[in-house]
Amino acid sequence: MRLLRSAALAAISYSSAVLAAGWSFEDATLTVQGKGAGVGGSVKESLTPQTALPGPVSLAAGDTLKIALTTTDGKTGKKPHQAFLTLHEPTTGLEESFPFSLKDNGKGKVEITQKDLPYQLATSQHALKASLIIASFGTSDPYSKNLFDLTVVADAFAPPTVPSPAERYGKKEEIHHIFKDGPQSPNFLLVGFFTIAVCVTLPILFGVWAALGGNVSHLGTAFGKAPLAHGLFLGSILAMEGVFFLYYTVWNLFQMLPAAAVVGVVGYVSGSRALTEVQERRLAGQR
């Protein structure tokens, strides 16, 4: 008999511990502080987990509603994964939640004003149902209960701002893209002026070249010793000018670059060979 009694007491104790393991709160106070109200000018109520406040709580335009409490897991103050004060509009079903700022020991608070409320809740003609929700990971039961009703008192001189309608996705008007015009060639008169200027300077260039010792009589000797090198070098110079002309008139950049690369390689290789031939004649005293 004594063994059965001990087993029954242990089972009852275990059942009580299991039933007591759940999220709740303690030392909770609700304060409504008016704007500019001094000491004693606020409404203060105590909140209990089991029963709701008997009357509604009013929140005027300049008031701040503050709830301070300690969340508990069983009998121990503890920080849950989430703790919210949820305001529910009974006729439309709309609601908004405000999270508590919590410490590791479970102490936390939340503050709201009319500016924090959505337009649909701030203009409600019915009292809002204020519920406290506490939950976390693990096996402890969450807590959710309506603790008081909140009446929002509108300010007749400063009504809430009506929000703009939400954007709805649907068929839009046809969009006509306007692209910029392509690059235009310079004015014909401007191009002609610079072309004439370059042509006028060519005789001056040849005159300076002749004054510095340029000798056209060596042209036959140079082509006789290295006809391919000199021919390709001079041809590459003329071909590069042709590439630039085509790029200026009809080609685009992607057409010009491959052609310029090929002509440039030919000019570099043939120019090296031509300069080698000129160097040999200079060392031989023929220049």
Side-chain angles (χ1 to χ4, degrees), residues 116 134 169 172-173 179 183 208 236 280:
D116 301 322
I134 306 173
Y169 293 98
K172 300 291 185 179
E173 296 182 0
F179 298 96
V208 173
S236 64
E280 290 176 353

Side-chain angles (χ1 to χ4, degrees), residues 188-201:
F188 178 76
L189 295 177
L190 184 64
V191 174
F193 171 77
F194 282 101
T195 302
I196 295 174
V198 171
C199 293
V200 169
T201 58

Side-chain angles (χ1 to χ4, degrees), residues 54-78:
V57 177
S58 298
L59 182 65
D63 294 347
T64 300
L65 185 147
K66 176 181 177 182
I67 298 178
L69 51 73
T70 301
T71 56
T72 59
D73 184 8
K75 298 297 182 179
T76 306
K78 188 177 180 182

